[in-house]
Amino acid sequence: MATFNIWMNGRLVPQEQAVLPVNSAAVFYATNVFEGIRSYWSERDGEMYSFRLADHFARLRESMKMMRFTVPYSDDQLFEAVRTVVTGNELREDIHMHCVAYVGAPGLDATTQTGLYINPRKRPRVMEGNGLKCNVSSWTRTSDNAIPIRLKSGSNYQNGRLATLQSRADGYDQPIFLNRLGKVAEGSGATFFMVRKGRIVTPHSSSDILESITRTTLIEYICPQVLGMEVVERDIDRTELYVAEEAFFCGSGYEITPILSIDRFPLGAGDTVGPLTKRISSAYLDLVRGVDTRHPEWRTPTYKPVHV
Ligand code: PMP
């Protein structure tokens, strides 16, 4: 697979030069915070659109604040860094990138001063076939007072890793986490939505979930304005999962990924994607690529130079 150059602390470098010291907290404890961002190639516009960059940078800053990291770059500098990644690698295809702030860069205070890198990569879709076979994990989502999932640090993702490995060992594709109260939280790296009694439902933001940017896009725009349906944000019980008509994960990386069964209970017809999931998925892909031209402020052009 082709490898791309990585933007690291101010310049593009080949992958083999983008290294972290083995004795840094960043390597040993995964003391970092990050964002997973997608950029979409639009053939029609000859442009790469990075989706909701400003919101990703705002969330990165919130994670940095909680970790007491100092913020080494302004938003303008971060926008420029993403542009450099896209133009410097001549990217004209859909790309996923990790934007990572970490401690332990040479020459910086190892407790708080952060280095930053942006690593573009191809990211295949999460599923094969029509959708995912999920299980309710026996691992509990880490709680806000222990290892907060709202804080997007690489270290926090060991919770998702344990659950995902268990799911695979048990013959499923992906886990669904319950939180410490036994209510549905989310997937390992994605937000959970279901359709129940004709309504679109998702756990509320105090359910030990990441405050997902895709979730907000669905709640504030796609469901009410494209489908004409409000999203209900509430507690979801485990047993509701088994009788839901439809379910899906969403996220920058997952986009809209249908779930076909949970603990082997088929949802809806069981082997096909439900009608609302289909409509939400195509509305989302239209939006991120600019086929739906509303909300241009969410699509940062990162290919053509902005200043003529
Ligand atoms: N939950 C977790 C734990 C995640 O890692 C992600 C992916 N960032 C999401 C939800 C979805 O968030 P977003 O829509 O902002 O990508």
Side-chain angles (χ1 to χ4, degrees):
M1 196 195 285
T3 59
F4 302 117
N5 290 329
I6 296 178
W7 186 98
M8 195 173 206
N9 300 322
R11 61 199 186 94
L12 271 188
V13 294
Q15 297 229 344
E16 57 277 14
Q17 288 176 28
V19 290
L20 302 179
V22 285
N23 60 359
S24 64
V27 171
F28 192 58
Y29 297 114
T31 309
N32 63 29
V33 296
F34 74 99
E35 286 297 315
I37 300 167
R38 268 197 198 269
S39 297
Y40 292 88
W41 172 246
S42 162
E43 192 68 49
R44 188 195 60 187
D45 301 349
E47 188 49 277
M48 284 285 278
Y49 291 122
S50 296
F51 192 61
R52 299 198 72 161
L53 268 190
D55 299 286
H56 281 287
F57 295 155
R59 192 170 63 187
L60 186 73
R61 279 178 202 287
E62 288 185 359
S63 293
M64 291 180 91
K65 182 176 183 186
M66 287 185 263
M67 292 283 263
R68 301 181 196 278
F69 284 179
T70 52
V71 183
Y73 300 102
S74 67
D75 273 11
D76 281 349
Q77 286 171 318
L78 292 177
F79 278 115
E80 267 324 301
V82 170
R83 277 197 193 97
T84 304
V85 168
V86 170
T87 51
N89 283 297
E90 297 184 14
L91 299 176
R92 292 173 206 211
E93 59 189 306
D94 295 353
I95 284 292
H96 184 263
M97 44 185 111
H98 280 148
C99 175
V100 186
Y102 64 98
V103 289
L108 298 180
D109 177 303
T111 343
T112 56
Q113 278 186 305
T114 58
L116 198 133
Y117 65 84
I118 302 176
N119 179 17
R121 48 206 204 114
K122 292 176 198 260
R123 179 168 168 166
R125 296 214 72 187
V126 182
M127 59 178 196
E128 289 164 20
N130 285 340
L132 300 175
K133 296 191 296 290
C134 290
N135 67 312
V136 175
S137 187
S138 58
W139 296 95
T140 302
R141 190 45 132 185
T142 53
S143 74
D144 200 55
N145 278 323
I147 302 182
I149 282 296
R150 180 176 282 106
L151 197 179
K152 209 166 156 49
S153 170
S155 52
N156 299 2
Y157 282 71
Q158 298 308 320
N159 184 224
R161 179 176 161 81
L162 289 170
T164 302
L165 292 178
Q166 184 213 349
S167 295
R168 300 216 178 116
D170 293 347
Y172 300 97
D173 298 317
Q174 289 280 325
I176 296 170
F177 276 107
L178 305 182
N179 63 23
R180 66 198 187 286
L181 302 172
K183 303 297 177 189
V184 174
E186 58 179 353
S188 68
T191 299
F192 178 81
F193 277 73
M194 70 174 182
V195 178
R196 176 102 213 275
K197 299 187 178 177
R199 307 197 68 186
I200 304 169
V201 187
T202 194
H204 55 76
S205 60
S206 298
S207 309
D208 291 324
I209 62 169
L210 180 73
E211 287 176 313
S212 147
I213 292 166
T214 318
R215 175 182 182 278
T216 307
T217 306
L218 263 48
I219 292 173
E220 292 178 356
Y221 173 64
I222 289 189
C223 294
Q225 291 182 40
V226 183
L227 273 71
M229 294 175 70
E230 293 297 329
V231 175
V232 182
E233 296 173 69
R234 65 162 172 84
D235 276 343
I236 297 179
D237 290 331
R238 173 187 192 141
T239 44
E240 288 190 277
L241 302 178
Y242 303 151
V243 291
E245 291 110 66
E246 301 181 34
F248 61 87
F249 285 136
C250 76
S252 306
Y254 278 65
E255 300 167 319
I256 310 296
T257 299
I259 296 170
L260 297 181
S261 67
I262 301 176
D263 286 349
R264 311 243 182 259
F265 288 106
L267 307 187
D271 51 1
T272 50
V273 181
L276 285 172
T277 306
K278 262 192 204 150
R279 285 174 64 197
I280 292 168
S281 180
S282 69
Y284 181 74
L285 294 175
D286 282 354
L287 177 70
V288 294
R289 247 180 244 289
V291 176
D292 176 349
T293 54
R294 284 172 287 183
H295 287 292
E297 76 282 8
W298 288 345
R299 291 177 295 275
T300 303
T302 35
Y303 192 74
K304 289 180 191 151
V306 235
H307 308 295
V308 188

